[in-house]
Amino acid sequence: MASRCYFSVLLHAFVFATVATLGFSQLTPNYYDYSCPNALSTIKSVVEAEVQKENRIGASLLRLHFHDCFVNGCDGSILLDPSPTIDSEKNARPNIQSVRGFEVVDEIKQAVDQACGKSVVSCADILAIVARDSVVALGGPTWEVQLGRRDSTTASREAANANIPAPFFSLSELITNFKNHGLDEKDLVVLSGGHTIGYARCINFKAHIYNDSNIDPNFAQYLKYICPINGGDQNLAPLDSTAANFDVSYYSNLVNKNGLLHSDQELFNGDSTDSLVQQYSYDNQAFFQDFANSIIKMGNIQPLTGDQGEVRVNCRKVNY
C-alpha cells in the first residue's frame, strides 16, 4: 500500500514537472505581461519613429529576423559582433554589406531595458517584435508575436553561408532550403512576399538581368542603367515597384516578369508555385493572413527557451 502511494506521488510529480517544463518552453504572446508590461509598446514606438525617418529601415529590420531564424533558429545570433570566440554571421556572404539596422536594434534594446528596469527582453524576441512592427508601420498585417526566446551565446558564419537562401537559387533549391527549416512551399511563396519592401544590391540581381530569359526586356533594360555589366555592384534597386509599402505589388510584378532577383522570378516561372503567386497578385487579404501565419511559424524555428542560452545585456556580445 505504502509503495503504491509512493509511486503515485512520484507519478504526479513527474507529470507536473513535465507539464511545467513544456509550458515554460513554449512561446506565448503574453510572456512579458508581468515582467515588463510596457515592453511591446516601447519597442513599437521606437520602430514607428525610425520607419517614419527612413522607411527602408523597416525592410532591414524584417530581414534581420529572417536571416536570424534561417541559421540555427531564431536566437539572435545574427546580432553578435566578431570576437575571438564569435565567428560573426554579420560577415557571412548573405549579410555583409547587405543586412543593416543593427544600430536601431541597439536603440530599441536600450529603450526597452530602461522601460523594464533591467534586461528582461531577449534580443531574439526584439527581432521578432520589430519584424511585426515594421510590417505594420509600412501598411502590412499585424499578428500576435510569440515570445519567450532566449539569446544564443554562439554564432556561425559558416552556417549562415550554408542556410540563408541565395538570390540565385532555383525553385527546387528554394523549396529544399525551406523544407530543411520545417517550412513548406506555401511558406516559401508567402514569406518571399517580404520582398514587397526594401532594396537589393546590383551584385545580387546582375546575373538575372543580363543572363536570364524569364524577365521583361523593358524591365531588364531599365535595371541595366542602375546595374552596369561592369562595376556598380553596390547600387540599389527596389525589390518591387512600391518598395515603401507592404502590399501585393511583389506578386503582380512576378506575374509580369518584373521580379528583381532570379530567386524571386523562380516563384512564377511555369512551375508548382505559379498559382499561389497568381492568387496573391490580386488577393491582398489572403496574402496578409497567410503572411502572418507563416512568419509566426518561422519564428518557432528552434528557439532557445527555459534555461537555454541567456538574455543578453548587449545584443552585440554575450554576457560574461
Side-chain angles (χ1 to χ4, degrees), residues 74-109:
C74 309
D75 60 4
S77 58
I78 194 173
L79 300 173
L80 289 169
D81 282 342
S83 77
T85 59
I86 298 293
D87 189 15
S88 179
E89 293 165 22
K90 294 178 180 180
N91 293 328
R93 287 188 301 273
N95 295 332
I96 194 166
Q97 297 183 312
S98 180
V99 175
R100 52 194 290 269
F102 299 108
E103 295 80 7
V104 175
V105 174
D106 294 338
E107 180 186 351
I108 291 168
K109 176 65 172 170

Side-chain angles (χ1 to χ4, degrees), residues 153-224:
T153 56
T154 62
S156 174
R157 178 173 56 172
E158 181 180 357
N161 283 331
N163 291 311
I164 297 173
F168 53 79
F169 270 11
S170 66
L171 180 61
S172 62
E173 288 173 315
L174 290 167
I175 291 171
T176 298
N177 179 281
F178 272 64
K179 184 178 179 180
N180 289 341
H181 293 96
L183 302 171
D184 57 28
E185 276 191 43
K186 183 175 183 179
D187 297 317
L188 164 62
V189 177
V190 172
L191 293 175
S192 294
H195 283 177
T196 187
I197 54 176
Y199 291 73
R201 294 180 299 149
C202 161
I203 192 172
N204 288 325
F205 60 84
K206 183 174 289 189
H208 178 49
I209 64 176
Y210 285 99
N211 301 332
D212 289 348
S213 59
N214 61 339
I215 182 170
D216 176 73
N218 293 326
F219 181 60
Q221 186 58 46
Y222 157 73
L223 291 172
K224 288 174 183 177

Side-chain angles (χ1 to χ4, degrees), residues 7 50 65 73 91 94 98 119 131 173 211 236 246 259 284 300 306 310:
F7 175 77
E50 291 296 329
H65 182 43
N91 293 328
S98 180
S119 188
E173 288 173 315
N211 301 332
L236 297 175
F246 197 96
N284 190 83
N300 281 316
E310 63 184 14

Side-chain angles (χ1 to χ4, degrees), residues 39-49 108 129 132-133 136:
L40 271 66
S41 60
T42 300
I43 294 170
K44 181 181 179 181
S45 64
V46 178
V47 170
E48 288 177 341
I108 291 168
I129 296 165
R132 188 269 312 276
D133 291 347
V136 172

Side-chain angles (χ1 to χ4, degrees), residues 23-44:
F24 188 68
S25 66
Q26 289 176 343
L27 303 182
T28 168
N30 305 315
Y31 189 81
Y32 297 108
D33 281 6
Y34 297 104
S35 60
C36 187
N38 295 324
L40 271 66
S41 60
T42 300
I43 294 170
K44 181 181 179 181

